[in-house]
Amino acid sequence: MELTLSFYMNNIKAALLSILITGIFFSSLSFLFASLGILVVQHMVLAGLSTPILSATGLAVYLFLNSRFSDNRPDRFSLSFSNLVLGICVAMLFFGYLKWFTVITFFVLFALLLYIEYRNKLRFMYYFYRAWAAMLIPFYLVSLIVKSQQALTFNENASLKLSLLQLPIEAYSCFMGMLLMTVYLFELFRHKMTRTNG
């Protein structure tokens, strides 16, 4: 019973810490984008709350899918997919080096992905990509609702003007980076807490 309780407490602490750190980082990016005129936000509190809510939801989906479908054999393909995403990031940085929105969002994703795939010892990227794919539909629907209410508008001059389903491609990059940071920090904190508690 103690082991089970300790396991759940470690997961809760790791989840809260990862959501908090990711929330602070990406909320700061939102405020930076607003101050640079990249984003026009009608409600700054809503913008500040959206990051922890999306992070928490993404982490919940990640954990749910892991508990229901624990097979990690497809992880051998995750490095190839990560290399493809890294290549896309390099291309976007090359073509959009004068656009702040493009540079910041794709650089953050590139740095996270490069570190996690080539320096990190924990293997979870297949699980991450699965959760990210599952979260794309809710992310898109929420983004469309926010956009239709004009609570958040993008300055097209600060981006590459490439849209995917009416959303700038930078929004998808930012979302992927946010979810990746949340999942990585969760796995890192959980691993450290498990080692500490024996």
Side-chain angles (χ1 to χ4, degrees):
M1 180 67 179
E2 279 183 32
L3 265 171
T4 307
L5 182 61
S6 172
F7 173 78
Y8 284 115
M9 289 306 292
N10 286 345
N11 280 352
I12 290 168
K13 286 178 192 173
L16 290 175
L17 277 171
S18 63
I19 291 165
L20 178 67
I21 293 169
T22 304
I24 290 169
F25 180 79
F26 279 90
S27 293
S28 300
L29 277 186
S30 295
F31 290 119
L32 174 65
F33 291 149
S35 66
L36 292 172
I38 295 168
L39 298 178
V40 178
V41 183
Q42 300 299 329
H43 308 286
M44 286 307 285
V45 175
L46 180 65
L49 287 174
S50 62
T51 300
I53 290 170
L54 276 172
S55 295
T57 307
L59 189 57
V61 168
Y62 173 80
L63 292 171
F64 172 76
L65 290 173
N66 291 356
S67 68
R68 298 287 293 180
F69 311 102
S70 58
D71 183 16
N72 197 27
R73 281 177 295 178
D75 187 60
R76 64 184 182 271
F77 303 112
S78 65
L79 182 60
S80 299
F81 190 76
S82 293
N83 286 332
L84 175 66
V85 176
L86 286 168
I88 291 169
C89 288
V90 169
M92 294 302 165
L93 288 168
F94 177 78
F95 290 112
Y97 70 95
L98 294 175
K99 310 289 185 178
W100 279 112
F101 193 32
T102 306
V103 167
I104 294 170
T105 56
F106 279 99
F107 179 76
V108 167
L109 178 59
F110 177 82
L112 279 168
L113 203 50
L114 191 68
Y115 175 78
I116 289 167
E117 282 290 22
Y118 290 99
R119 298 286 299 169
N120 171 51
K121 300 276 191 280
L122 302 171
R123 295 303 309 156
F124 59 85
M125 288 305 290
Y126 163 68
Y127 292 145
F128 161 73
Y129 285 126
R130 184 174 62 183
W132 172 74
M135 281 294 295
L136 277 177
I137 294 171
F139 167 72
Y140 175 70
L141 293 175
V142 169
S143 297
L144 276 188
I145 292 167
V146 169
K147 192 176 176 186
S148 69
Q149 298 296 316
Q150 295 188 337
L152 178 70
T153 54
F154 298 96
N155 179 356
E156 288 188 2
N157 294 325
S159 71
L160 281 174
K161 298 180 183 175
L162 287 175
S163 293
L164 183 63
L165 301 173
Q166 301 178 342
L167 288 177
I169 198 161
E170 290 88 352
Y172 293 98
S173 169
C174 192
F175 173 65
M176 187 181 217
M178 181 180 61
L179 188 56
L180 181 56
M181 179 181 271
T182 305
V183 170
Y184 168 67
L185 290 174
F186 171 77
E187 292 292 353
L188 179 69
F189 292 141
R190 182 170 68 166
H191 180 71
K192 286 187 174 182
M193 288 173 188
T194 303
R195 284 177 56 190
T196 302
N197 294 342

